[in-house]
Amino acid sequence: MDAVLAKNPRTVVLTGVSRGFGREAAKTLIARRPQDRYVVLARGDAAGTAEALAPAVGTGRVLGVACDLGSLADVDRAAGVITSGLDNGELPPLGGFLGNAGVVFMRTDTATADGYETTFAVNVLAHQLLVRRLMERFTAPAWVVLTTSDSHFGQFRYTLGATPPPRWDAPARLARPREGGPREAGRAYATSKLGTIYLAHALARRLPPEVAVHAYNPALVAGTDFFRAAPPPLRAMAKGFFRLQSALGRGMTPQQAGLRLAETILAGPPGPSGSYIDRGRVVPSSPESYDEAREEELWREATRLSG
């Protein structure tokens, strides 16, 4: 990690590490950089999540902060806990942020506490608010990694037909709950991951080059319980599909994907700020994902929607 972070202790903020490949990535980061202080944002038992990640370094190195990403007020409160700790010296300088949390639902009429469509609110608005609140606290050299998905390409060779192509719209309309079943919910997920790349590009223009921002695609990961919100029969089918793809060499286990993500961060993301990283390699994202007007509109509107 010396290529990205200084040797002195840093604070690293993590979302989406309570299960799946995010948990595996966090375990590797903590084991390889035990001198850093890790702030884990998790819904529910955040202290328990932190304790489960801490055996190798001791509970004093991993701080759990309760945060429901479906509530922008709760996100703002959690960000305030972190910034206060940074400002009063309880936490060392901020050196990293991994925004890995993501959700997908079976319908598009689910709403957060703020009345926003849940997939867009959690995957896009919550992370924009978190990073926006923290961006002035980063101490270079530092890194920001936002987890995206190759579903944003909208092509069969990436999704195997499991997810419809994204359909971008004005952010205020994307944030609005609407009628739609599993297919439209899948489209909402792909659209939110296109939005994640837009956020990475917009953020890269706002941070100094020494604070590198990247969108990271872990590709297909089996065994992550990603479809936990689906009915049991569909959940069982999804798990079987993921296992089959993994056996065919088209996917990875959570352990493999988490190790790949962590090692990419530890080595220093291999590309300029704003790059799209596919399983450790810098590659072009979709042509649609390079649209500065959309990126800036999303940044402005996400700021407005999150208050």
Side-chain angles (χ1 to χ4, degrees):
M1 182 176 283
D2 289 342
V4 183
L5 298 179
K7 294 182 179 180
N8 294 329
R10 314 300 288 278
T11 292
V12 177
V13 178
L14 308 168
T15 76
V17 297
S18 61
R19 59 168 63 88
F21 77 92
R23 179 186 178 92
E24 299 301 323
K27 287 164 59 178
T28 300
L29 290 174
I30 292 168
R32 301 277 184 90
R33 286 280 301 187
Q35 69 269 44
D36 287 339
R37 188 78 186 276
Y38 295 87
V39 180
V40 176
L41 273 58
R43 183 178 180 180
D45 186 12
T49 299
E51 185 176 357
L53 292 170
V57 296
T59 54
R61 307 304 301 171
V62 185
L63 171 66
V65 175
C67 180
D68 179 2
L69 295 177
S71 166
L72 292 173
D74 210 36
V75 172
D76 191 61
R77 178 199 54 77
V81 171
I82 299 169
T83 55
S84 294
L86 293 167
D87 292 346
N88 65 25
E90 292 180 4
L91 294 172
L94 183 61
F97 177 91
L98 172 60
N100 183 64
V103 297
V104 63
F105 288 83
M106 295 298 106
R107 301 190 59 81
T108 54
D109 58 1
T110 62
T112 65
D114 305 285
Y116 298 137
E117 192 278 318
T118 309
T119 301
F120 188 78
V122 172
N123 297 0
V124 180
L125 297 181
H127 282 95
Q128 193 266 2
L129 174 57
L130 265 175
V131 178
R132 179 163 52 84
R133 285 291 312 276
L134 297 175
M135 59 190 297
E136 293 184 359
R137 302 310 201 286
F138 283 104
T139 299
W143 54 271
V144 175
V145 171
L146 303 177
T147 301
T148 184
S149 166
D150 50 14
S151 65
H152 86 277
F153 282 94
Q155 298 175 9
F156 181 85
R157 68 190 181 102
Y158 294 104
T159 66
L160 303 178
T163 306
R167 182 182 296 151
W168 193 254
D169 202 345
R173 284 194 285 269
L174 292 174
R176 189 180 305 154
R178 54 201 176 273
E179 291 186 5
R183 181 171 177 80
E184 285 308 305
R187 190 186 306 281
Y189 173 76
T191 303
S192 76
K193 291 306 181 180
L194 176 61
T196 300
I197 299 175
Y198 287 155
L199 285 184
H201 292 167
L203 186 59
R205 287 192 289 272
R206 287 165 168 79
L207 288 171
E210 297 80 12
V211 183
V213 184
H214 295 85
Y216 185 90
N217 170 44
L220 189 66
V221 183
T224 61
D225 201 24
F226 188 66
F227 287 95
R228 57 189 177 275
L234 183 56
R235 196 160 62 238
M237 290 176 59
K239 288 183 178 179
F241 171 78
F242 281 143
R243 291 194 187 101
L244 174 61
Q245 298 307 315
S246 183
L248 294 174
R250 297 174 180 168
M252 290 186 286
T253 66
Q255 293 75 20
Q256 292 169 328
L259 180 62
R260 182 75 61 85
L261 170 56
E263 288 184 337
T264 300
I265 292 171
L266 290 163
S273 187
S275 297
Y276 175 75
I277 302 177
D278 183 346
R279 290 162 288 182
R281 298 180 302 111
V282 173
V283 300
S285 50
S286 71
E288 187 180 10
S289 70
Y290 299 95
D291 190 321
E292 187 170 337
R294 285 183 179 180
E295 294 159 7
E296 291 301 310
E297 179 189 29
L298 176 59
W299 188 269
R300 290 192 305 270
E301 285 297 288
T303 300
R304 181 183 68 81
L305 292 170
S306 64

